[in-house]
Amino acid sequence: MFLVIPMISFLGYDHMDPNEVFPEHHCDFSEKYRNRVDFAIFKAGEPVIAIESKSAGASGLRDDRGQLRSYFNAAKTVKMGILTDGLIWEFYADSDEPNMMDANPFLRFDLRDVAKGKVDDSALEGLHSLRKAVFDPDNIGAEAKRKHIYNSVLAQVATIFADPPEEFARPLLKKAGIGHLSQKALDEYRPVIQAAFREFINRQILHRLDLPKPDQPAPAPAAPAEAPAPAADAIVTTERELEVFRWTQKRLAFLVRDDALFAEIAAVDYKDYQGKFVVFYKMERKGRLFEFIESRTSNGLRFIFPEESGLAQADITVQSLAEIDGPLLKTFCARVAAIAKSPPSGAPAGPAAEASAARSA
């Protein structure tokens, strides 16, 4: 209970309201066959999510799907089932046949991995899409289907990477200008394809970290102090700065505890300057959350927070983005409380807001 209730609250549901979260709810085919789940989450007076929980650390969690599946089949309005031991969470839908729970979960994660930062973006995005404010019971089956296909394709990519099959290797080599290969020659080229895969992935990682490729020289040293300052239009937002901004939005969605604050995350924006990267809420100065100073010579991440952050020292250097959770959340809450819901007329918009407006248009 102490592990499941916080997750229910994180998803935006009030576990103190029996009209929304119903413990020990039952839905039966008949008096003889009684189906009960530990928690049923209601929407418009009907159960839409069923949660079956087991003892923390219980082995063979997947062996306990029968009870959840029986309730899922009996309750026609239920569109998602959750099986958990409080640490491992599995999310099921009826992507193949209505009211027939899928054999495999479309989303799965372990809170022990989350605590270590070992959770991918797709799992976090999937979890956020299940929150009360955005959860759509009628569409969850289609979303689950897409997730199953995604996982299947990902598994196939891993298989191809480990051992490129002939039906993949021949067309690839043909596009590279090597055709009419014998089976022996094809087998000799397989290690080349694998090496190319590894190099491609390595280059993507280096690009993400904004580091030079191994076969390229290191960046030239900075210009002397007397060199003229670059023009304003020479400012280039780096991949690392964009990563900090995207991470800030996702992390705030993970940290906030109510729907009102969650909705305000969309107003978080950024502006790039020479030497610093500013992330703010609605108003660039009054709503400033922090300044990020990118360094090409240090592994640390330098942030400058305003006094609302509660830090004794506003200028801090951390090794991991997760280390700024406390000041980030406190500053965001303070800015939302201090600024009106709509920015004043003529307030400048940052790049992310301009891009969003362009997409809307």
Side-chain angles (χ1 to χ4, degrees):
M1 182 181 70
F2 287 104
L3 292 170
V4 174
I5 291 295
M7 180 63 73
I8 292 176
S9 298
F10 169 75
L11 292 176
Y13 298 98
D14 183 2
H15 68 277
M16 298 299 291
D17 183 356
N19 294 315
E20 189 164 270
V21 180
F22 196 122
E24 292 294 326
H25 187 260
H26 66 85
C27 184
D28 308 320
F29 285 113
S30 65
E31 288 295 325
K32 182 178 180 180
Y33 299 102
R34 307 193 67 81
N35 301 287
R36 190 182 300 270
V37 288
D38 294 311
F39 295 96
I41 295 178
F42 278 61
K43 181 177 182 179
E46 299 286 352
V48 293
I49 301 174
I51 303 175
E52 182 67 23
S53 60
K54 302 300 177 183
S55 300
S59 60
L61 185 63
R62 291 173 65 85
D63 297 335
D64 294 316
R65 289 175 296 173
Q67 188 174 354
L68 180 62
R69 181 180 287 108
S70 296
Y71 177 89
F72 200 108
N73 298 156
K76 300 302 182 183
T77 57
V78 168
K79 298 300 180 182
M80 185 172 73
I82 302 175
L83 181 61
T84 181
D85 67 351
L87 299 173
I88 297 174
W89 292 77
E90 296 183 344
F91 297 78
Y92 296 84
D94 54 352
S95 62
D96 289 328
E97 188 175 347
N99 288 108
M100 294 294 292
M101 194 178 87
D102 296 338
N104 297 308
F106 66 87
L107 175 64
R108 186 182 191 275
F109 61 88
D110 190 327
L111 288 182
R112 288 165 293 198
D113 292 335
V114 175
K116 298 175 184 176
K118 297 179 180 179
V119 58
D120 58 39
D121 290 345
S122 64
L124 290 177
E125 290 170 0
L127 185 60
H128 292 314
S129 69
L130 303 179
R131 300 190 69 172
K132 177 183 176 181
V134 295
F135 177 65
D136 181 4
D138 296 328
N139 194 43
I140 190 63
E143 289 295 327
K145 188 72 172 181
R146 282 189 284 269
K147 188 66 174 176
H148 283 309
I149 294 173
Y150 169 84
N151 290 333
S152 179
V153 170
L154 192 61
Q156 290 301 315
V157 170
T159 301
I160 292 172
F161 181 85
D163 184 16
E166 180 176 350
E167 60 269 23
F168 174 83
R170 282 191 182 277
L172 182 63
L173 291 170
K174 186 176 181 180
K175 284 185 175 292
I178 306 172
H180 307 291
L181 287 170
S182 66
Q183 186 62 48
K184 181 179 179 181
L186 178 64
D187 292 339
E188 291 175 352
Y189 275 113
R190 288 181 196 274
V192 176
I193 296 174
Q194 290 174 305
F197 273 149
R198 286 192 294 270
E199 179 60 20
F200 174 77
I201 293 173
N202 289 338
R203 291 188 179 190
Q204 292 298 108
I205 293 172
L206 293 173
H207 177 71
R208 183 79 178 266
L209 297 176
D210 197 24
L211 296 173
K213 298 181 179 64
D215 57 347
Q216 292 182 346
E226 61 269 23
D233 59 0
I235 295 175
V236 177
T237 303
T238 67
E239 183 61 26
R240 181 174 292 182
E241 289 171 334
L242 289 175
E243 181 184 3
V244 168
F245 173 69
R246 290 191 291 260
W247 182 92
T248 298
Q249 290 183 308
K250 292 181 180 179
R251 197 63 175 176
L252 283 172
F254 178 80
L255 294 172
V256 298
R257 291 293 181 265
D258 63 72
D259 292 338
L261 280 174
F262 181 80
E264 295 302 314
I265 295 173
V268 174
D269 212 329
Y270 71 85
K271 188 170 184 180
D272 205 358
Y273 295 89
Q274 287 289 353
K276 68 178 180 180
F277 181 76
V278 177
V279 176
F280 60 92
Y281 165 74
K282 286 192 175 182
M283 303 170 68
E284 196 275 328
R285 292 187 179 277
K286 188 177 179 181
R288 183 166 300 191
L289 301 180
F290 61 78
E291 295 176 11
F292 171 63
I293 311 297
E294 185 173 12
S295 172
R296 296 181 181 272
T297 60
S298 171
N299 293 327
L301 303 167
R302 183 184 173 195
F303 293 86
I304 300 177
F305 281 90
E307 59 183 11
E308 289 85 348
S309 66
L311 293 173
Q313 183 179 358
D315 192 338
I316 61 172
T317 299
V318 299
Q319 298 302 314
S320 167
L321 287 171
E323 294 178 53
I324 67 169
D325 280 0
L328 174 63
L329 179 60
K330 191 167 184 178
T331 304
F332 176 70
C333 293
R335 294 312 195 201
V336 173
I339 297 176
K341 293 298 181 183
S342 299
S345 176
E354 292 170 357
S356 177
R359 286 194 297 272
S360 298

